[in-house]
Amino acid sequence: MASASTDASASESDYSNVVDMVEAGADPNGNESITSVVQNNIADDTLLRFPEGEYYMDSQVRITGFNNVGIVGDGATIVPANYSSFDGPQYRLFRLGTSGSPGGSVWFEGFDVDQTASNTGIRVISAEVSDELVVRDVFIHGVHDSGTWGPGLFNITDPDGVGIVDCFRAFDGGQHVDDTPHGGRWRGATGIMLNGNHQGHITFKDCVLGGFPDNGLYASGENGGIDIDGGWYENSATASVRLSGSEGSISNAILVVDDNPTGAEGQHAVRLDHGSYTLSNVTLDTPNQNGESIRIMNGVDSTTIENTLIKAGGQSSAVRIDSGAGAVDFRNSEVEINGSAYAFRILGDSPGAVSLEDVNVVGSASGSPIQPAIFCERNNCQFDGVSVEQLGSGNRRGLELRGSNYEVTNSEFETSHIPIIVHNANDVDIENTYARADDGSTSVHVRSGSSGVSFQGNDLPQGIDDRS
């Protein structure tokens, strides 16, 4: 099989045995379960091909320790039994490998999954393979409403192994577990899951997830890599994309929080838990979020965010960098903040420098109750080419510094109230910067307890207030 990269492919010539599943006895009219026929034919170096039709499944297909298995549909639709009629473990349609006995080489492609009937939501595929995972064009229709595990689990168990999941789509999301027949689980399903068994590298390309009651796409382990390229992720809790691992990236994707279908608290668009990450060409449209658009947690080593647009309208920060998170470089990006919240909330003393370079902050955010657009208590931070235009009501401010060793250069601040506040901060250099308060108050306020504040080449039409 071809290596599972973004241009991975597979064909019948990769298999010594190709089975037409209708010829093998699978009912293409959806009247009789096909599970036993699939179980009897699935084997090493075998491709199971499903012609056009509807295929009913009422129990799990399971194979472990295999090598080179393909399951491919051509206009094929899988129809799961409802929760009460499903025989055996009521969790999965296909279990291809386990953590203790993973498979090698899986090709799974070309299925619609009809879960529109009541209580038919189920995990479509659980694939734990050492290498060469290819999943393409899986379209799940209907809300995941049974309360069982979410549509997909994917783990590459070999650190040198790779995989791709391309166009795996479950746009209708899932119901909270309290509204399902399963019960006994916290909140409910995650859309796509990678757990601690993931050690290799996997790419998710052009996938789509609606709102799930736990997370949308969730990588929960501390090893392995994950790249997200393109796609749409929306309205899940705790996050529409939540990543932990050794490294990863999100690029060319759209993440939305504009609804709360399961009554979640703390809906983040992106939450980074552990590892090092790059976000590039990402759009985060979060007009109604009750969590941060991007939250960078304590276990994250480093983060680079570039060419990204954030539109935030709720009462939570657009970007929150937690106190133990490592270095963050945020550049060539724009934050539109329309709720009374921080555009950037930078916490902690000195776990890693934060740099904002060529970043625009715009929008109509009020200064009540949150006054500054950018709040920074971390040492050793730089603000270069930052533009803040915050002219909303309620004494909205621009930048508040509360640590040590800052550089503010080549920046522009136009705010309804004081643009720059130096609050018990030390060693602050402000150079070639323009700052104007719309209410005429003062351009820069240096509060008592601050020291080593220098100014050079600035345009500060309302002057500097360095009184206590």
Side-chain angles (χ1 to χ4, degrees), residues 57-73:
M57 294 185 68
D58 63 358
S59 60
Q60 171 183 264
V61 170
R62 184 179 188 272
I63 184 172
T64 62
F66 59 86
N67 184 56
N68 203 23
V69 163
I71 304 172
V72 175

Side-chain angles (χ1 to χ4, degrees), residues 25-46:
D27 177 9
N29 300 309
N31 296 316
E32 295 184 9
S33 174
I34 66 166
T35 302
S36 62
V37 180
V38 177
Q39 194 70 65
N40 290 336
N41 284 274
I42 196 167
D44 285 356
D45 208 20
T46 298

Side-chain angles (χ1 to χ4, degrees), residues 10-344:
S11 67
E12 289 189 5
S13 63
D14 295 315
Y15 301 88
S16 61
N17 186 29
V18 179
V19 180
D20 183 304
M21 292 306 294
V22 173
E23 294 179 0
D27 177 9
N29 300 309
N31 296 316
E32 295 184 9
S33 174
I34 66 166
T35 302
S36 62
V37 180
V38 177
Q39 194 70 65
N40 290 336
N41 284 274
I42 196 167
D44 285 356
D45 208 20
T46 298
L47 171 63
L48 308 182
R49 188 171 284 282
F50 289 78
E52 183 176 357
E54 287 193 355
Y55 300 89
Y56 175 67
M57 294 185 68
D58 63 358
S59 60
Q60 171 183 264
V61 170
R62 184 179 188 272
I63 184 172
T64 62
F66 59 86
N67 184 56
N68 203 23
V69 163
I71 304 172
V72 175
D74 183 8
T77 297
I78 296 174
V79 181
N82 66 34
Y83 179 82
S84 60
S85 300
F86 205 85
D87 188 26
Q90 297 163 302
Y91 305 126
R92 295 169 289 258
L93 296 180
F94 294 94
R95 189 176 195 185
L96 310 178
T98 65
S99 60
S101 185
S105 297
V106 164
W107 176 27
F108 189 94
E109 179 172 351
F111 290 98
D112 287 287
V113 182
D114 185 355
Q115 298 183 353
T116 56
S118 178
N119 298 333
T120 56
I122 196 168
R123 176 160 290 167
V124 174
I125 175 173
S126 171
E128 299 194 76
V129 301
S130 59
D131 193 11
E132 294 185 328
L133 171 69
V134 177
V135 176
R136 295 188 189 277
D137 298 332
V138 178
F139 296 85
I140 299 164
H141 307 275
V143 177
H144 190 95
D145 61 353
S146 67
T148 64
W149 294 328
L153 179 143
F154 306 103
N155 292 319
I156 308 298
T157 61
D158 189 319
D160 295 323
V162 294
I164 182 168
V165 178
D166 186 354
C167 290
F168 187 96
R169 300 185 171 185
F171 189 75
D172 293 322
Q175 285 186 346
H176 194 280
V177 69
D178 291 346
D179 299 320
T180 71
H182 181 62
R185 299 185 66 239
W186 185 65
R187 293 210 292 211
T190 291
I192 294 174
M193 183 75 183
L194 297 82
N195 60 33
N197 299 318
H198 176 62
Q199 304 289 315
H201 198 101
I202 191 166
T203 298
F204 291 92
K205 182 174 175 59
D206 296 332
C207 295
V208 175
L209 293 176
F212 282 86
D214 192 31
N215 294 275
L217 193 160
Y218 181 22
S220 66
E222 294 191 355
N223 296 298
I226 176 172
D227 291 324
I228 297 171
D229 182 8
W232 180 290
Y233 303 85
E234 70 170 33
N235 295 330
S236 289
T238 300
S240 293
V241 170
R242 180 178 175 183
L243 301 182
S244 180
S246 59
E247 61 181 4
S249 68
I250 306 173
S251 60
N252 309 309
I254 297 173
L255 298 102
V256 175
V257 180
D258 62 1
D259 192 19
N260 192 356
T262 59
E265 296 181 3
Q267 286 179 288
H268 311 293
V270 173
R271 175 171 154 174
L272 306 177
D273 285 9
H274 181 277
S276 297
Y277 297 96
T278 298
L279 279 65
S280 178
N281 299 309
V282 177
T283 297
L284 300 104
D285 188 7
T286 58
N288 295 314
Q289 91 274 18
N290 57 44
E292 288 77 27
S293 304
I294 299 175
R295 182 160 182 181
I296 303 173
M297 304 288 286
N298 290 333
V300 179
D301 297 319
S302 64
T303 309
T304 298
I305 301 172
E306 58 188 3
N307 302 319
T308 287
L309 172 63
I310 302 174
K311 300 173 67 176
Q315 302 302 305
S316 297
S317 304
V319 179
R320 172 172 166 158
I321 303 169
D322 280 2
S323 59
V328 177
D329 290 326
F330 203 108
R331 53 181 180 253
N332 299 318
S333 297
E334 180 168 293
V335 176
E336 179 184 323
I337 183 88
N338 292 310
S340 181
Y342 302 105
F344 291 89

Side-chain angles (χ1 to χ4, degrees), residues 350 376 378-383 399 401-409 420-431 446-447 449-455:
S350 303
C376 183
R378 185 176 296 209
N379 303 331
N380 307 311
C381 295
Q382 296 182 341
F383 305 88
L399 172 66
L401 303 174
R402 291 195 174 209
S404 299
N405 194 22
Y406 294 116
E407 293 183 5
V408 182
T409 57
I420 301 173
I421 293 184
V422 181
H423 190 155
N424 293 322
N426 305 305
D427 300 324
V428 180
D429 294 331
I430 301 175
E431 299 181 4
V446 181
R447 292 189 173 176
S450 300
S451 64
V453 183
S454 66
F455 300 87

